[in-house]
């Protein structure tokens, strides 16, 4: 019967439309999000860290990358560089954004994610329920970082997505790298506490980047 008949049938089933062509996906529990942060690209960056996508803002403890209080990325950096997992913590609830940015500028660390637009199939931070709608422009970011010759993916989802962006046939094993003509791709363990590795062992893996 064509689109008009399908439209009426879907309405009869209770589907909510924004207009005659577009469904209100949020009513169905499906939320599409553009990346809430701009890439952090200091001109002296030597590493470009790529996660998958930030968690929902309700989980943020600061307005920067890896903002989830129970994500251990900044504790790992604290262990590696200051022998103190709590170095970047403020009050037991928030990371110190200003101290982190100063640290990233001094060490030459750039940040973004492998996805610039996603659909959360469930309202949580799990990569398992993250559908990527638009990949990030990784080569465009690298073009702004003349001293950056290493990409670091921080988990399985980001590694899978980067492989697609690069048309790579091989994904590095955790704690190892693959060389490309323009850069080295390191794969590090996820900094989520759901990943089955101790904080000390994760720090040992990430410390390979700075040797």
């Amino acid at each position: 019967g064509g689109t008009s008949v399908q439209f009426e049938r879907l309405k009869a089933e209770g589907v909510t439309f924004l207009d005659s062509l577009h469904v209100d996906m949020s009513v169905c529990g499906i939320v599409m999000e553009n990346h809430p942060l701009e890439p952090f690209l200091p001109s002296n960056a030597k590493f470009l860290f790529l996660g998958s996508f930030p968690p929902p803002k309700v989980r943020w403890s600061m307005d920067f990358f890896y903002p989830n209080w129970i994500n251990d990325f900044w504790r790992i950096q604290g262990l590696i560089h200051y022998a103190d997992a709590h170095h970047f913590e403020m009050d037991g609830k928030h990371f110190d954004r200003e101290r982190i940015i100063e640290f990233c500028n001094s060490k030459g660390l750039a940040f973004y994610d492998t996805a610039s637009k996603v659909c959360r199939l469930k309202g949580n931070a799990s990569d398992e329920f993250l559908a990527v709608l638009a990949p990030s422009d990784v080569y465009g970011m690298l073009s702004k970082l003349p001293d950056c010759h290493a990409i670091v993916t921080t988990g399985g989802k980001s590694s899978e997505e980067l492989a697609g962006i690069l048309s790579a046939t091989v994904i590095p094993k955790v704690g190892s790298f693959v060389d490309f003509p323009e850069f080295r791709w390191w794969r590090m363990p996820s900094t989520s506490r759901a990943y089955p590795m101790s904080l000390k062992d994760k720090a040992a893996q990430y410390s390979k980047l700075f040797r």
Side-chain angles (χ1 to χ4, degrees), residues 115-135:
S116 60
K117 185 176 183 179
V118 301
C119 174
R120 294 191 197 276
L121 304 180
K122 290 191 177 182
N124 58 33
S126 173
D127 284 349
E128 181 182 358
F129 302 109
L130 205 63
V132 175
L133 303 179

Side-chain angles (χ1 to χ4, degrees), residues 5-194:
V5 173
Q6 181 68 11
F7 175 71
E8 294 301 329
R9 287 179 177 174
L10 289 169
K11 283 181 65 178
E13 292 172 7
V15 174
T16 302
F17 283 82
L18 298 172
D19 54 45
S20 61
L21 294 176
H22 299 93
V23 173
D24 186 350
M25 302 295 281
S26 64
V27 174
C28 307
I30 298 174
V31 178
M32 288 171 279
E33 301 175 38
N34 292 312
H35 202 294
L37 297 169
E38 291 296 320
F40 180 78
L41 306 175
S43 59
N44 66 332
K46 299 177 179 64
F47 299 93
L48 173 59
F49 286 85
L50 297 173
S52 52
F53 199 79
K57 275 207 166 185
V58 68
R59 297 174 181 265
W60 287 24
S61 66
M62 66 170 173
D63 189 17
F64 198 64
F65 294 89
Y66 302 96
N68 193 333
W69 179 249
I70 61 171
N71 186 290
D72 284 328
F73 183 91
W74 298 112
R75 296 183 182 93
I76 289 168
Q77 301 307 314
L79 271 178
I80 293 170
H81 299 281
Y82 303 98
D84 179 9
H86 306 293
H87 180 79
F88 293 112
E89 297 178 4
M90 289 180 65
D91 53 11
K93 295 181 180 179
H94 299 90
F95 293 112
D96 190 334
R97 180 179 182 272
E98 298 308 314
R99 182 184 292 183
I100 284 172
I101 289 177
E102 181 181 357
F103 163 77
C104 294
N105 281 319
S106 68
K107 295 293 184 181
L109 309 183
F111 293 89
Y112 200 55
D113 291 300
T114 51
S116 60
K117 185 176 183 179
V118 301
C119 174
R120 294 191 197 276
L121 304 180
K122 290 191 177 182
N124 58 33
S126 173
D127 284 349
E128 181 182 358
F129 302 109
L130 205 63
V132 175
L133 303 179
S136 298
D137 182 8
V138 173
Y139 284 107
M141 286 185 277
L142 288 174
S143 71
K144 300 176 182 178
L145 304 172
D147 297 326
C148 182
H149 301 290
I151 294 176
V152 185
T153 49
T154 58
K157 180 75 172 181
S158 58
S159 299
E160 292 169 7
E161 293 301 323
L162 183 63
I165 293 169
L166 302 179
S167 299
T169 57
V170 177
I171 296 178
K173 294 181 180 180
V174 174
S176 65
F177 61 83
V178 173
D179 280 328
F180 287 76
E182 306 95 334
F183 52 81
R184 173 169 288 179
W185 170 16
W186 284 90
R187 178 185 175 184
M188 288 288 118
S190 170
T191 54
S192 166
R193 292 187 184 175

